[in-house]
Amino acid sequence: MRFFVSAVIALCPAFASAQLIDQVANPQLMNPNILPSGSTLRACHYRNSPTADLDSAVASEIAARLLMPIEVNEMPSGYGMGGEFAASDMLVALSATCDVIMGMGLGVIPYPPEFTVTRPYATHSFTYLSKDPGFTRLTDIPADRRIGLELASYGAYIFRQFNSLRPTDQQWGYQPYVDHTLLLTRVQDGSIATASIYGPAWRKVEQEEPALLEGLHELERMPALNAQIDMGAIVLSNNTFLRGELDAAMTEMIGDGTIAELLDRLDYTRFGSTVTAR
């Protein structure tokens, strides 16, 4: 089972200095437009995103507040490590089939200038799961045990930083995985002592493959290992009016408790997701 954690992970920083239109394989797919007043809000999300239901729910609530009908569309995922064509595909989608792409990670890597980002509306975090009842926090694990990580994830990045600051004889070995089924299977069979996992992915595994979580418990969350991703949306950079409307609606939804209610109702809070306060 693979999950597309965050589109921001798939984007190379090099995209920011390139003309994305030159990377579009079929420019005839392009249909530049600015959302006219009173038309349908076309909201897209990635097909395999573990937050797809939340992102769709947020988009539907936004459309209701803007007094607009909504059309929710899926975008294909499964880009490789380099994220080749991910940004150009987003440009095509936002020019032809989407007005906004929901569920986008707002990280330190900037999006290309063709896009602009909204404010964040939810924050999702990484945590650690283990089967050994003697481990209550990561630092209980002896250095001769290995740690499992989600390949190229922000959680893996924070772990590597934390691990590098430990004395050499206390540093853990670690193994990256691209597949959650294999990652959690290795926790179950004892090959690795714990697995760093994205909260929404943990939730999705519980829904779809609960046997992988049998006997596992969450380790105590440590401030030094706090890995969180703010989630928002992107629109075309020239669509500033829509971005302003989205920001205003998200701010209102945070203030009146709507986002918190969605996180609770869709069972994200239990897995460490929170309302983005800023």
Side-chain angles (χ1 to χ4, degrees), residues 59-122:
S60 295
E61 181 65 29
I62 290 172
R65 290 171 187 243
L66 297 179
L67 303 179
M68 298 172 62
I70 187 169
E71 174 186 312
V72 178
N73 298 313
E74 290 186 341
M75 295 174 58
S77 57
Y79 295 96
M81 285 300 300
E84 187 177 14
F85 304 121
S88 58
D89 285 354
M90 287 194 297
L91 181 62
V92 170
L94 286 169
S95 299
T97 59
C98 311
D99 299 306
V100 55
I101 302 178
M102 305 294 295
M104 303 296 290
L106 308 181
V108 295
I109 299 176
Y111 284 97
E114 287 85 353
F115 309 123
T116 186
V117 301
T118 68
R119 63 151 299 150
Y121 53 83

Side-chain angles (χ1 to χ4, degrees), residues 12-278:
C12 282
F15 280 137
S17 60
Q19 289 293 315
L20 290 184
I21 188 64
D22 296 334
Q23 301 176 28
V24 175
N26 185 2
Q28 293 181 337
L29 295 173
M30 304 288 289
N31 180 27
N33 65 88
I34 298 297
L35 183 68
S37 175
S39 66
T40 298
L41 177 64
R42 301 170 304 168
C44 294
H45 62 80
Y46 282 96
R47 181 174 301 144
N48 294 330
S49 169
T51 63
D53 57 345
L54 173 65
D55 302 326
S56 296
V58 171
S60 295
E61 181 65 29
I62 290 172
R65 290 171 187 243
L66 297 179
L67 303 179
M68 298 172 62
I70 187 169
E71 174 186 312
V72 178
N73 298 313
E74 290 186 341
M75 295 174 58
S77 57
Y79 295 96
M81 285 300 300
E84 187 177 14
F85 304 121
S88 58
D89 285 354
M90 287 194 297
L91 181 62
V92 170
L94 286 169
S95 299
T97 59
C98 311
D99 299 306
V100 55
I101 302 178
M102 305 294 295
M104 303 296 290
L106 308 181
V108 295
I109 299 176
Y111 284 97
E114 287 85 353
F115 309 123
T116 186
V117 301
T118 68
R119 63 151 299 150
Y121 53 83
T123 299
H124 305 301
S125 61
F126 289 79
T127 192
Y128 291 84
L129 302 179
S130 180
K131 192 172 187 179
D132 192 321
F135 302 152
T136 59
R137 53 179 11 212
L138 190 67
T139 48
D140 292 336
I141 298 173
D144 61 355
R145 297 295 306 277
R146 296 180 70 80
I147 311 298
L149 306 172
E150 295 177 309
L151 184 65
S153 69
Y154 187 52
Y157 170 74
I158 294 297
F159 167 80
R160 289 195 300 269
Q161 282 195 320
F162 178 81
N163 198 36
S164 69
L165 296 175
R166 289 168 62 85
T168 303
D169 62 349
Q170 296 180 31
Q171 292 181 8
W172 299 282
Y174 54 88
Q175 178 66 47
Y177 294 86
V178 296
D179 185 282
H180 288 86
T181 297
L182 183 57
L183 171 64
L184 294 170
T185 297
R186 292 293 173 260
V187 178
Q188 290 286 1
D189 67 21
S191 299
I192 55 178
T194 185
S196 169
I197 191 168
Y198 185 49
W202 175 20
R203 167 185 171 270
K204 194 75 168 177
V205 171
E206 184 177 275
Q207 292 176 341
E208 298 182 357
E209 298 185 82
L212 290 172
L213 299 172
E214 186 174 348
L216 302 189
H217 66 279
E218 182 182 12
L219 300 184
E220 178 185 330
R221 294 180 181 243
M222 300 170 57
L225 289 164
N226 186 33
Q228 296 183 318
I229 295 179
D230 288 339
M231 303 300 286
I234 67 169
V235 300
L236 290 176
S237 59
N238 59 355
N239 208 344
T240 55
F241 174 78
L242 176 59
R243 187 198 64 195
E245 293 295 297
L246 295 172
D247 282 344
M250 291 175 187
T251 298
E252 183 179 276
M253 291 163 63
I254 289 171
D256 67 13
T258 300
I259 299 294
E261 189 276 329
L262 289 174
L263 290 171
D264 286 340
R265 176 163 56 84
L266 296 174
D267 200 24
Y268 280 86
T269 307
R270 184 162 58 93
F271 297 91
S273 297
T274 60
V275 177
T276 303
R278 64 180 182 82

